[in-house]
Amino acid sequence: MKLGDAFFNWLQMHIVSQARPEDEAAKDTLDFFALILVEDHGVSNLEVLPIEDPMKIWIGYDHEGEYHKHCFDRESAEKLLDDINSNPIYNNQ
């Protein structure tokens, strides 16, 4: 998996896990992508940064001894959570 794809997948699952803390599948999937980032790409100290930006979500991480920041389109990153929340199969509706 490409590094950018792994970051995006991790971010989507982080958003879902934060919004749905009881969702064990989301947590397991988040852990899976975190493992890919660590083992396959050498990323550490991955975090969502508290930068107020209505259009972007920022992450920070260490890679090869350097600190990096990267942003993702907020709407794209939050789409998985929106899809889950709009599907009654995944909700107690």
Side-chain angles (χ1 to χ4, degrees):
M1 178 179 295
K2 293 180 182 179
L3 180 59
D5 293 339
F7 276 137
F8 184 74
N9 291 332
W10 175 87
L11 178 58
Q12 282 193 311
M13 293 315 303
H14 175 80
I15 292 167
V16 171
S17 293
Q18 292 291 305
R20 300 170 58 93
E22 74 291 343
D23 188 335
E24 288 298 319
K27 183 186 178 321
D28 291 345
T29 306
L30 175 65
D31 292 344
F32 171 74
F33 288 117
L35 188 64
I36 288 173
L37 287 163
V38 170
E39 291 186 353
D40 294 355
H41 298 287
V43 170
S44 61
N45 301 318
L46 180 60
E47 63 181 341
V48 174
L49 299 175
I51 297 173
E52 294 293 325
D53 185 334
M55 303 301 289
K56 303 286 182 187
I57 297 176
W58 289 84
I59 62 170
Y61 59 95
D62 291 323
H63 184 247
E64 297 180 349
E66 294 183 13
Y67 181 76
H68 300 271
K69 290 192 286 187
H70 186 77
C71 66
F72 293 90
D73 177 73
R74 181 175 296 278
E75 185 176 340
S76 296
E78 293 175 346
K79 176 122 177 57
L80 178 60
L81 178 61
D82 292 342
D83 290 346
I84 290 169
N85 286 338
S86 67
N87 190 332
I89 293 171
Y90 301 113
N91 298 292
N92 295 327
Q93 297 179 354

